Amino acid sequence: MPAVPRAHEPPLAARVLVIGHRGASALRPEHTLASYAKAIADGADVVEPDLVSSRDGVLLVRHENEIGSTTDVAQHPEFAARKTTRTVDGEAVTGWFTEDFTLAELKTLRARERLPQLRGTRYDGQFQLVTFDEFIDFVAAEAAARGRVVGIIPEIKHGTYFAARGLPMEDKLLAALAAHAYTRTAPVEIQSFEIGNLKYLRGKLGQEHPNVRLLQLLDEPGKQPADVAAAGGALTYAQMMTPAGLKEIATYADAIGPDYHAVIPYRADGTLGEPTALVRAAHAVGLEVHPYTFRPENYFLAKDFWKGDDPRTCNPEGMVAEVRAYLDAGIDAFFTDDPGLGRRAVDGR
């Protein structure tokens, strides 16, 4: 996308939403009830569960099906023999995979911090893994206790991969949403980096579920959606971010979720550049823009906003300032590991 002059671009959404990325994952291990509790307490409008499948077909809230980096599975000698290498979305991955474990076995594991070098390990070993049904019940209870609606934004992970293993997730997701009173009315936005499953969901949802929207996630420009690659197609995410590509996305989705660098890229020296035309082009075809992921450590911030020289420094003021630059570029919602800081960026603007 070519650069456009930096100026205030109005959002398409009536209200910019703060999305708790895997909960409040800067503050608690991701995808745990403790992480979601913190996100909601800190003011998240929406919380995100990523979904994978167990061997017995239960939807589990985890970012990947490989769980070696986010659980204590390596410390369980009874599971040592299950370490293996799989090709997931075209990439070889070694570790332990949810589809090799029943839910009962997964419940014996405990979560640990994905980024211990930045965020420490003080909560490691304290929290169970969570099913999607448990997640919905928890969010419903938190919403009732606080007297406000909290949206959910589930992401189907590796849809083509799981379908090929006989564990498709799309219909199970819809069934779970239908089975809970809360998700029959609360705002829901289903995400995927793939295309086919979103089109399938659009066909299944029709106009009968006005509370459910669809979000097309967008990866690095040179990459392809996994379902496109598996079918031998040529479409890239770069093509999807052109005006013609966005017009096509608007036929089945309500919003796009690009990496935030696709909205305002960093310069070669790490400082914040100028906004691209992506937000304006998306808005022109009726798509909201929900970029990911704002994080509070220097390591993840543009150099303009660093505090000191240590990349590990947690820098609340820097993150708030950076988010506000993106708000000025017209984004409609955003994912953040620290929803409290996201709330401050929006409310104190």
Side-chain angles (χ1 to χ4, degrees):
M1 283 280 168
V4 295
R6 183 174 294 179
H8 181 73
E9 174 82 14
L12 198 61
R15 186 167 72 93
V16 176
L17 299 179
V18 178
I19 303 170
H21 182 241
R22 313 177 198 174
S25 51
L27 306 169
R28 302 290 186 275
E30 65 186 41
H31 292 133
T32 61
L33 294 185
S35 184
Y36 294 118
K38 181 64 173 165
I40 294 167
D42 286 353
D45 298 300
V46 185
V47 286
E48 182 204 33
D50 295 312
L51 302 178
V52 295
S53 180
S54 68
R55 187 173 73 196
D56 43 353
V58 178
L59 296 182
L60 189 75
V61 178
R62 288 279 99 190
H63 184 254
E64 297 101 7
N65 54 330
E66 197 292 299
I67 51 174
S69 61
T70 59
T71 76
D72 63 358
V73 65
Q75 279 68 61
H76 286 251
E78 68 273 25
F79 299 139
R82 298 195 201 179
K83 187 175 185 180
T84 187
T85 298
R86 294 263 163 77
T87 300
V88 182
D89 295 350
E91 296 185 9
V93 182
T94 299
W96 290 263
F97 296 85
T98 58
E99 63 269 22
D100 294 332
F101 294 79
T102 64
L103 177 62
E105 290 172 328
L106 291 164
K107 282 292 189 179
T108 68
L109 306 179
R110 293 297 179 268
R112 66 185 182 91
E113 174 55 51
R114 175 190 296 278
L115 301 173
Q117 68 278 21
L118 290 178
R119 296 173 177 172
T121 58
R122 61 191 177 282
Y123 296 108
D124 283 10
Q126 295 188 29
F127 308 121
Q128 282 192 352
L129 308 195
V130 180
T131 69
F132 186 45
D133 285 316
E134 290 168 340
F135 164 86
I136 294 173
D137 283 341
F138 181 80
V139 174
E142 286 287 301
R146 296 176 185 279
R148 69 180 180 92
V149 176
V150 179
I152 71 167
I153 185 163
E155 180 186 343
I156 299 170
K157 303 296 294 191
H158 313 306
T160 295
Y161 171 89
F162 275 108
R165 302 187 75 83
L167 295 167
M169 292 185 283
E170 290 74 16
D171 286 322
K172 290 175 184 174
L173 169 55
L174 292 179
L177 296 177
H180 293 263
Y182 186 75
T183 45
R184 290 198 293 269
T185 59
V188 175
E189 189 163 88
I190 303 172
Q191 326 167 62
S192 178
F193 279 102
E194 299 188 13
I195 298 172
N197 56 3
L198 290 178
K199 290 184 174 181
Y200 172 79
L201 290 167
R202 175 56 71 208
K204 294 280 284 190
L205 288 164
Q207 302 303 314
E208 298 174 9
H209 301 82
N211 66 308
V212 182
R213 305 204 308 165
L214 301 179
L215 172 68
Q216 176 68 67
L217 292 167
L218 301 167
D219 207 336
E220 296 173 21
K223 291 186 176 181
Q224 292 185 291
D227 56 330
V228 172
L235 184 70
T236 65
Y237 288 111
Q239 292 169 319
M240 294 172 72
M241 286 188 271
T242 64
L246 294 167
K247 186 176 181 180
E248 168 60 22
I249 292 171
T251 65
Y252 62 87
D254 303 282
I256 57 168
D259 183 297
Y260 65 100
H261 299 95
V263 174
I264 308 179
Y266 289 1
R267 298 187 180 96
D269 63 0
T271 59
L272 197 64
E274 296 296 324
T276 69
L278 180 60
V279 170
R280 191 171 295 175
H283 286 175
V285 294
L287 290 169
E288 292 187 7
V289 181
H290 302 179
Y292 61 88
T293 303
F294 294 96
R295 299 178 167 102
E297 294 88 2
N298 274 346
Y299 179 84
F300 299 108
L301 298 173
K303 286 293 178 66
D304 316 51
F305 306 113
W306 275 42
K307 177 182 178 182
D309 298 320
D310 189 342
R312 297 169 298 178
T313 297
C314 186
N315 178 4
E317 294 77 16
M319 189 192 116
V320 169
E322 181 162 272
V323 169
R324 286 180 179 165
Y326 284 82
L327 292 172
D328 286 344
I331 62 173
D332 302 282
F334 60 94
F335 293 82
T336 175
D337 286 4
D338 193 328
L341 296 180
R343 183 85 274 142
R344 192 200 306 177
V346 173
D347 294 350
R349 198 161 160 237

